[in-house]
Structures are given as C-alpha cells and as structure tokens.
C-alpha cells in the first residue's frame, strides 16, 4: 500500500521552532525551511504595504532611495540558489498582491528567504542614511504559500479562517 500511495513529506516550517530574524538598519531577513518531495510546484503570493509620512523624508523623495524585497530559495545541501526574485517597492495606498509564477522545486531541503533591503541612490550622506533607517521601518511584506501541488495533487493550505497557529506556518513576514 505504501508503494501505491507514498507519503507526501512536504513541510514549510520555522527554523528551530521560530522565525529567527537577521536585522540591520538597512536589511531585514526572515526565513523558513522547506522540505519537498519529488514533483513539487509552489505558487507564492507576495503581499506588501509601503505607506509613510512624507514630511519625515526631510526634503528627499522616495526616488533618493532603493527599497526592495528579495525572495530566494536555496538548496541546503548544495548551497545552490534555485529561485530568486527582486521586487522594487514603491509607495502603496494599502496592501498590494503579486502572484509569482509556479516554481518547480526538486526533491530536497531548502531555505526560503524573504529579505527587505534599502540603499541610498546617488551620493550618500548621514542625513540620507538617517532617513533610510526610518524608511526601512515602513514596508510590511509577506510571502504567502498560495498553492502547493505535489505529483499533480493539491496540498491544502489553511485559509484565513483556519487555526491561527497553523496559518502562521504558511507565510514569512517582515512587518
């Protein structure tokens, strides 16, 4: 029976039971581990909100800074990055969603990482760096598991009305 109906060993989970942050004034990183059997396809939904008080830009504009989210999936055994996507962030009026194309992931263990990075465009100075530090606290970004298909079978992803602890395991957040 096991050969006819093999177990699906798919998980998306926090390292060491919690999401360990890696933070600096200009970069925030959150990650989760991903264990995939053969023939795994995942669709992620990237969701973000970037609103701020323009008066706190001290005369600068958002064009003076480059703030972006970076999504990477890396094989833990080989260190090879199998997927990367950079998403430049611009001001939003609320939450905006971006559905990423289906990613085919070979069997193995991976780290799915969501990074928020900011740099000064042009000449940098202490005033611009202070504004960038403040600006980096404003984006709220999430990487949601939208759908998982393993060997042509849909894997159930808890929805918003599901148990909160289970739902928490279906996304990575920097907020």
């Amino acid at each position: 029976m096991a050969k006819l109906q093999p177990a699906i060993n798919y998980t998306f989970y926090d390292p060491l039971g919690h999401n360990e942050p890696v933070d600096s004034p200009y970069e925030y990183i959150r990650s989760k581990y991903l264990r995939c059997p053969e023939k795994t396809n995942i669709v992620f939904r990237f969701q973000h909100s970037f609103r701020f008080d323009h008066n706190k830009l001290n005369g600068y504009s958002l064009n003076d800074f480059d703030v972006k989210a970076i999504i990477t999936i890396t094989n833990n055994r080989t260190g090879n990055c199998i997927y990367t996507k950079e998403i430049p962030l611009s001001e939003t009026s609320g939450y905006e969603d971006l559905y990423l194309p289906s990613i085919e992931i070979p069997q193995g263990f991976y780290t799915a990482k969501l990074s928020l990075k900011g740099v000064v465009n042009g000449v940098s100075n202490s005033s611009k760096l202070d504004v960038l530090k403040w600006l980096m606290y404003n984006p709220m970004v999430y990487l949601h598991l939208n759908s998982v298909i393993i060997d042509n079978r849909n894997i159930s992803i808890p929805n918003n009305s599901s148990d909160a602890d289970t739902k928490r395991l279906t996304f990575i957040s920097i907020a």
Side-chain angles (χ1 to χ4, degrees), residues 20-72:
E20 297 181 7
V22 177
D23 295 337
S24 75
Y26 314 111
E27 181 176 25
Y28 300 93
I29 300 172
R30 302 289 184 271
S31 62
K32 288 194 176 179
Y33 291 147
L34 181 62
R35 182 179 65 179
C36 297
E38 289 183 51
K39 300 180 184 175
T40 300
N41 285 280
I42 297 176
V43 174
F44 285 104
R45 176 173 53 108
F46 175 76
Q47 183 180 53
H48 74 287
S49 175
F50 192 11
R51 295 181 283 183
F52 51 88
D53 180 354
H54 285 266
N55 295 325
K56 293 189 176 184
L57 290 177
N58 293 341
Y60 299 112
S61 76
L62 193 54
N63 293 333
D64 291 308
F65 308 95
D66 181 21
V67 179
K68 61 185 166 190
I70 302 168
I71 300 161
T72 57

Side-chain angles (χ1 to χ4, degrees), residues 32-154:
K32 288 194 176 179
Y33 291 147
L34 181 62
R35 182 179 65 179
C36 297
E38 289 183 51
K39 300 180 184 175
T40 300
N41 285 280
I42 297 176
V43 174
F44 285 104
R45 176 173 53 108
F46 175 76
Q47 183 180 53
H48 74 287
S49 175
F50 192 11
R51 295 181 283 183
F52 51 88
D53 180 354
H54 285 266
N55 295 325
K56 293 189 176 184
L57 290 177
N58 293 341
Y60 299 112
S61 76
L62 193 54
N63 293 333
D64 291 308
F65 308 95
D66 181 21
V67 179
K68 61 185 166 190
I70 302 168
I71 300 161
T72 57
I73 299 175
T74 305
N75 184 303
N76 288 354
R77 186 177 56 77
T78 65
N80 291 336
C81 181
I82 65 158
Y83 180 82
T84 187
K85 172 85 173 168
E86 289 190 13
I87 303 168
L89 299 184
S90 56
E91 188 174 16
T92 63
S93 58
Y95 278 99
E96 294 183 3
D97 291 339
L98 171 66
Y99 291 87
L100 304 175
S102 177
I103 304 166
E104 186 174 328
I105 302 177
Q107 182 176 3
F109 290 89
Y110 299 88
T111 298
K113 187 185 317 181
L114 175 61
S115 304
L116 180 64
K117 291 186 179 186
V119 296
V120 170
N121 287 332
V123 178
S124 181
N125 59 44
S126 62
S127 174
K128 276 186 175 179
L129 289 172
D130 286 343
V131 171
L132 180 58
K133 283 180 194 176
W134 170 82
L135 199 58
M136 290 296 293
Y137 283 107
N138 289 276
M140 292 183 286
V141 295
Y142 300 89
L143 184 64
H144 297 270
L145 283 176
N146 193 66
S147 68
V148 176
I149 298 172
I150 298 174
D151 200 18
N152 295 319
R153 292 187 289 176
N154 285 320

